[in-house]
Amino acid sequence: MRPRLQELLAADFPGIKFRYIDVNEPAALAAEFLVFTIPTVIVFYEGKEYIRKSRPFGLKELAEAIRRP
């Protein structure tokens, strides 16, 4: 899922920065963002959480949600 997500962001949303967090290393960081299942994608807009998708979700659905603002 990660490579496909990176391709989507690079092609359609080049202004969005991609960050990957391994939930096994530092577990405190995953807990801080309340990520308890994988995959989880969180999109921040103007410093606030705008979109949160956890399994199952499609990349098309995510892209449509990002385009809304």
Side-chain angles (χ1 to χ4, degrees), residues 21-64:
I21 298 172
D22 185 344
V23 295
N24 295 317
E25 309 211 0
L29 187 57
E32 179 182 336
F33 288 102
L34 303 174
V35 175
F36 301 111
T37 185
I38 52 175
T40 296
V41 173
I42 305 171
V43 178
F44 290 89
Y45 182 71
E46 296 183 353
K48 296 180 183 174
E49 185 175 318
Y50 175 69
I51 300 167
R52 177 181 290 257
K53 298 281 184 189
S54 293
R55 66 172 190 206
F57 66 90
L59 292 179
K60 233 183 230 187
E61 172 189 352
L62 178 63
E64 289 172 10

Side-chain angles (χ1 to χ4, degrees), residues 1-23:
M1 165 86 66
R2 182 175 20 156
R4 291 181 19 215
L5 179 58
Q6 287 175 304
E7 288 173 14
L8 170 75
L9 294 177
D12 295 349
F13 307 101
I16 294 180
K17 295 178 186 175
F18 178 85
R19 297 290 183 257
Y20 171 77
I21 298 172
D22 185 344
V23 295

